[in-house]
Amino acid sequence: QVQLVESGGTLVQAGDSLRLSCTVSGGTLSSFAVGWFRQAPGKEREFVAAVSRLYDKTYYADSVKGRLTISRDNAANTVYLQMNSLNPEDTAMYYCAAEGRGAGNFITTVASRYEYWGQGTQVTVSS
Protein backbone atom coordinates (compact mmCIF):
# COMPACT_ATOMS: atom_id res chain seq x y z
CA GLN A 1 0.00 0.00 0.00
CA VAL A 2 1.50 3.29 -1.13
CA GLN A 3 1.52 5.96 1.57
CA LEU A 4 2.55 9.60 1.43
CA VAL A 5 3.55 11.57 4.51
CA GLU A 6 4.01 15.34 4.46
CA SER A 7 6.15 17.22 6.95
CA GLY A 8 7.71 20.61 7.50
CA GLY A 9 4.64 22.76 7.98
CA THR A 10 4.75 25.30 10.79
CA LEU A 11 4.00 28.89 11.76
CA VAL A 12 6.24 31.45 10.07
CA GLN A 13 6.28 35.19 9.48
CA ALA A 14 5.68 36.94 6.18
CA GLY A 15 8.84 36.93 4.09
CA ASP A 16 10.19 33.74 5.65
CA SER A 17 11.11 30.55 3.82
CA LEU A 18 10.03 27.00 4.51
CA ARG A 19 10.66 23.59 2.97
CA LEU A 20 7.97 20.94 2.93
CA SER A 21 8.75 17.26 2.42
CA CYS A 22 6.63 14.44 1.03
CA THR A 23 7.99 10.96 1.71
CA VAL A 24 6.66 7.93 -0.14
CA SER A 25 6.53 4.47 1.40
CA GLY A 26 5.14 1.18 0.14
CA GLY A 27 6.28 2.08 -3.35
CA THR A 28 9.09 3.66 -5.33
CA LEU A 29 8.99 7.40 -5.84
CA SER A 30 10.45 7.02 -9.33
CA SER A 31 7.19 5.36 -10.38
CA PHE A 32 5.14 8.49 -9.73
CA ALA A 33 4.54 12.02 -10.83
CA VAL A 34 3.94 14.10 -7.70
CA GLY A 35 1.89 17.19 -7.10
CA TRP A 36 1.39 19.60 -4.24
CA PHE A 37 -2.04 21.06 -3.50
CA ARG A 38 -3.27 23.34 -0.77
CA GLN A 39 -6.57 24.18 0.88
CA ALA A 40 -7.23 27.24 2.98
CA PRO A 41 -10.18 27.45 5.40
CA GLY A 42 -13.42 28.09 3.53
CA LYS A 43 -11.77 27.68 0.14
CA GLU A 44 -11.51 24.90 -2.38
CA ARG A 45 -8.38 22.83 -2.78
CA GLU A 46 -6.06 24.32 -5.36
CA PHE A 47 -3.09 23.10 -7.35
CA VAL A 48 0.31 24.47 -6.34
CA ALA A 49 3.08 22.60 -8.18
CA ALA A 50 3.90 19.27 -9.79
CA VAL A 51 6.90 17.32 -11.05
CA SER A 52 6.84 14.55 -13.65
CA ARG A 53 7.98 11.00 -13.04
CA LEU A 54 10.89 11.33 -15.47
CA TYR A 55 12.87 14.28 -16.86
CA ASP A 56 12.04 16.51 -13.85
CA LYS A 57 9.44 18.44 -15.80
CA THR A 58 7.75 20.92 -13.48
CA TYR A 59 4.66 23.12 -13.52
CA TYR A 60 3.48 25.81 -11.12
CA ALA A 61 0.34 27.73 -10.35
CA ASP A 62 0.67 31.38 -11.36
CA SER A 63 0.20 32.48 -7.75
CA VAL A 64 3.39 30.72 -6.63
CA LYS A 65 5.57 30.93 -9.72
CA GLY A 66 9.00 32.35 -8.86
CA ARG A 67 8.54 31.79 -5.11
CA LEU A 68 8.02 28.03 -4.78
CA THR A 69 10.20 25.27 -6.20
CA ILE A 70 9.32 21.59 -6.40
CA SER A 71 12.08 18.98 -6.58
CA ARG A 72 12.46 15.26 -6.11
CA ASP A 73 15.09 12.95 -4.63
CA ASN A 74 14.26 9.46 -5.82
CA ALA A 75 17.02 7.91 -3.71
CA ALA A 76 15.36 9.35 -0.60
CA ASN A 77 11.84 8.62 -1.87
CA THR A 78 11.06 12.26 -1.09
CA VAL A 79 9.65 15.25 -2.95
CA TYR A 80 10.31 18.75 -1.63
CA LEU A 81 8.50 22.05 -1.91
CA GLN A 82 10.81 24.97 -1.21
CA MET A 83 8.72 28.01 -0.31
CA ASN A 84 10.29 31.47 -0.32
CA SER A 85 8.89 34.96 0.29
CA LEU A 86 5.88 33.53 2.06
CA ASN A 87 2.85 35.74 2.58
CA PRO A 88 -0.38 35.31 4.59
CA GLU A 89 -2.21 34.18 1.43
CA ASP A 90 -0.02 31.06 1.47
CA THR A 91 -1.63 29.94 4.73
CA ALA A 92 -3.24 26.55 4.09
CA MET A 93 -3.07 22.83 4.63
CA TYR A 94 -0.61 21.49 2.07
CA TYR A 95 -1.08 18.04 0.57
CA CYS A 96 1.13 15.97 -1.70
CA ALA A 97 -0.29 13.46 -4.15
CA ALA A 98 1.15 10.79 -6.43
CA GLU A 99 0.10 9.67 -9.92
CA GLY A 100 1.57 6.52 -11.48
CA ARG A 101 -0.40 5.85 -14.67
CA GLY A 102 0.87 8.57 -16.98
CA ALA A 103 3.86 8.63 -19.28
CA GLY A 104 7.28 9.60 -18.00
CA ASN A 105 6.85 13.27 -18.82
CA PHE A 106 3.19 13.40 -17.74
CA ILE A 107 2.18 16.19 -15.45
CA THR A 108 -1.26 17.33 -14.37
CA THR A 109 -2.94 20.01 -12.26
CA VAL A 110 -6.13 17.94 -11.93
CA ALA A 111 -6.55 16.55 -8.41
CA SER A 112 -8.75 13.66 -9.52
CA ARG A 113 -5.90 12.27 -11.62
CA TYR A 114 -3.81 11.57 -8.53
CA GLU A 115 -4.23 8.13 -6.99
CA TYR A 116 -2.54 8.57 -3.62
CA TRP A 117 -2.73 11.42 -1.12
CA GLY A 118 -1.05 12.34 2.13
CA GLN A 119 -2.77 13.65 5.24
CA GLY A 120 -1.41 17.17 4.88
CA THR A 121 0.85 19.55 6.77
CA GLN A 122 -0.28 22.96 8.00
CA VAL A 123 1.51 26.13 6.92
CA THR A 124 0.53 29.34 8.66
CA VAL A 125 2.05 32.67 7.66
CA SER A 126 1.56 35.59 10.01
CA SER A 127 1.69 39.19 8.80
Side-chain angles (χ1 to χ4, degrees), residues 8-126:
T10 190
L11 171 65
V12 296
Q13 294 186 331
D16 284 353
S17 296
L18 195 61
R19 189 177 78 163
L20 305 184
S21 299
C22 171
T23 301
V24 176
S25 62
T28 305
L29 177 63
S30 58
S31 300
F32 301 104
V34 175
W36 284 95
F37 293 78
R38 66 186 182 186
Q39 186 166 20
K43 295 187 177 181
E44 294 188 352
R45 180 174 51 188
E46 65 173 354
F47 169 80
V48 175
V51 60
S52 61
R53 179 167 61 87
L54 299 176
Y55 316 122
D56 286 336
K57 178 182 174 182
T58 58
Y59 188 79
Y60 298 91
D62 287 342
S63 60
V64 305
K65 202 171 293 183
R67 299 188 300 117
L68 274 58
T69 303
I70 188 171
S71 62
R72 62 191 299 151
D73 182 345
N74 287 342
N77 257 12
T78 301
V79 172
Y80 303 100
L81 185 67
Q82 178 66 42
M83 309 170 71
N84 298 328
S85 302
L86 286 163
N87 59 66
E89 289 69 40
D90 295 314
T91 294
M93 183 72 79
Y94 283 72
Y95 300 92
C96 66
E99 192 283 336
R101 294 168 291 192
N105 63 347
F106 179 76
I107 200 165
T108 181
T109 65
V110 179
S112 61
R113 290 296 307 266
Y114 290 87
E115 304 155 69
Y116 306 101
W117 290 81
Q119 295 299 307
T121 186
Q122 177 68 38
V123 173
T124 302
V125 184
S126 64

